[in-house]
Amino acid sequence: MTTYKTSWAVAAWALIVSTQGASSQTAPVLDIPAQPLQSAIAELIETTDLEVMVHSELVQDKQSRPVQGQIGPIPALKAMVEGSGLTVKTFAGQSAAVVPDRDVVSQNAQEDTLDLGTIVLRGELIERSVQDSQTSTAVITGDDLERRGELRFDSVIERTPGISSTFSNFSIRGIQSFGPSASGGASTITTSVDGVRVSGVNDFIQGSFSTWDLEQIEVLRGPQSTQSGRNALAGAIIVKSKDPTYERDAQVRLGFGNGERFTTAVLANVPLIDGKLALRFAAEGEWFERFTTNFGRGTDGENRLENRLFRVGLRFDPTPNFSGVIKYTNSRYEDSAVGANASTFPARIVNFDQEDIRNGAVRSLNTSLNYRFNDQWRLESSTIVSKISTLNLSDLDGTPAVTGYSFRPGTNETIEQEFRLYFEGDRVTAVAGLFFTDIEADNVSALRSITPAGQLNFDLRQLVQTENYALFGEAEIELTPYWDVILGGRYDIETVDFSAVTTLSFTPPGGVPLPRPGPPNEVNGGSYDAFLPKIGVVYNFHEDVSLGLTYQRGYRAGGARTNFGAVDAAGNIAPRVVEFDPEFTDNFELAFRSVWLDGNLTVNANAFYTDYTDMQVFVQLSPNPLDTEVRNAGAAELFGAELDVRATPTANLEVFGGVAYVDTEFKRFVSNGVNLAGNEFTFAPNWTATLGAQYTFNNGVYVGGDISYTGEFFNDAANNPLTRNNDRLLIGLRAGYETDRISLVAFVNNLLDEDYTLFRGAQVGTVAPNSISLGEPRTFGALATFKF
């Protein structure tokens, strides 16, 4: 890999050209056709007298976009390099340098290291590199995913400090997506795939997302409410697929592994009109039988996984100032819980008469438009229409007895519109925006209990319509060469309408159903608003070392939940919908960023403290386990730190590692008359860590491995020792070979075949009382990618 360290040269060159006076001229009329980028830049320099610094190796074998019309020299240069993996830095509006785009990780066959300073964070309002951001971030590029043999998102999570996999969701800094007490309200973690928010719908499908043809995955640790809005109190996970480019590309991938795993994938990128129109298509299928035996059904491979992905994108650049991408995605997932009987653990055995099934389908259309007014101002628009369908089917008691099952279908339809206006000045970078979303959720919970006396049928249909409006902005101001100030905020307004209809019927053996429909239970809407400020200050010791302090407020939206065990005045079971308010956090964060040894060593660290108020907690009101409500009756605090280190001791060797610590504690929380103050959050391991290395030989062969550690954690807010999950240490190894035409990788995960659990104990409506959820055993396989 050739890494271009341009900062010193750019700074020196800028100092010279900044002394030259600016000439006030009318923008020239240009007509520079698409051609090799080096010659196109030379023609632009000759036509406009613009001073441009560019390394010849950067533009080698790259093609320019055509530039036509009355346009300034710098906008023309930016339009010319669009889509080439390069970007333009300007100085005093008079001169420019062409440098590697921060979106792109440069690579060649002799080295494949990840320069974190070159990657743009999609999850932040202002585009920043990892080194420029105060957010604690882990970024995994698409190239890195391919070299590691990663097929699904949840395997990536297992190797990222500060975030851990749990049963059907994730936990960031000790806060799981259902909330610290598994309240089951809106999600605390925003997970978006190409802008489509999939969190809070059916969280298990987050881990099933394909990693095929991705640009990168970002894990933003800590509150992102000012950035992402509602339901990003714990953090955000941003998944971005690759956009169409103006370079022809075609690939086919085949893979196999134990557990009868088989995967096949294709992609094609076709420039339809050079520099004007391009199409990209990607598709993948994955089948995986896993390793569980169901004695109740007499079957193996009970925990199967089937994923299918279809994605097509269209990029258009009709003018040098206007561009857009339209992307349609259709993803389907069929999974089943990786469960086992607690009494037979670590044997992977279940005794269900009904297979656990979890299906999901995501269909979305995303339109992104970008218009640049001039060097400083540009406008972005993002329009998303999506529909997510889910289906959960679970055995009622976890035994071979035919005693019933639960059945939960649901749909979530979303329309989302966002506008962002960007300003890029010499000392000020800012963005202001408007956001709107309309979400319609229709979910059914059905229970079929079969007894000798007959079958009891219970159905609950919940309809939730949410409208969310927001006005947001952020500015980064360079006060002096050493001091930067960050000012931002978001004003968020949300209205929610809830309704629930329950039906109860009983069918005696051979008889006619006896319906007992329940009356509609409606809450005529809740309305919530919140102001979420963000303020920070950064001291730059020099260009590669900085220390920043940030305060920001996080929040999770209010909502409603059905109390299935509520009783009426006559003592009869009468489920009711109960509303609850938003919850908030005040977050203080210290961020240290540093690059040493000519860019060969990066050391980043964050320390944080969070005060949690109006916490939505899952409260049990009586001994009846179904008599539960979500109430704003809790308070808590958490603190901790993360450290990320990456080094390239030689041109061929990359070493990386990270460690995260979090201490969580409920300060106020009473459930069923029990005071839970002093307890830890659910799904909140204190320690997570990873350590790995990769060596690339000069012939294209590479070998690597990593070790990841996750500490023990509880499954319930009561911290019952029976729900404690033991810590786990997982080892992964890989070896591969790369050329311009072929990529081969063989991998093994959980090398020591460690048995570990993701969940222990019962959670109402989730798993059978005598079952646990297991992590995957040793898995191995190989992938071959052919490039045409």
Side-chain angles (χ1 to χ4, degrees), residues 736-755:
Y737 173 70
E738 281 185 325
T739 69
D740 292 339
R741 294 296 182 184
I742 190 172
S743 173
L744 304 174
V745 58
F747 60 89
V748 55
N749 297 319
N750 193 1
L751 177 68
L752 303 181
D753 199 21
E754 180 167 348
D755 296 306

Side-chain angles (χ1 to χ4, degrees), residues 52 187 396 404 467 469 541 561 564 588 598 670 719 755 786:
V52 180
S187 181
L396 197 59
E467 290 187 354
Y469 304 82
F541 296 92
R561 183 183 174 92
F564 294 96
F588 302 87
D598 280 338
V670 177
N719 290 182
D755 296 306
F786 305 93

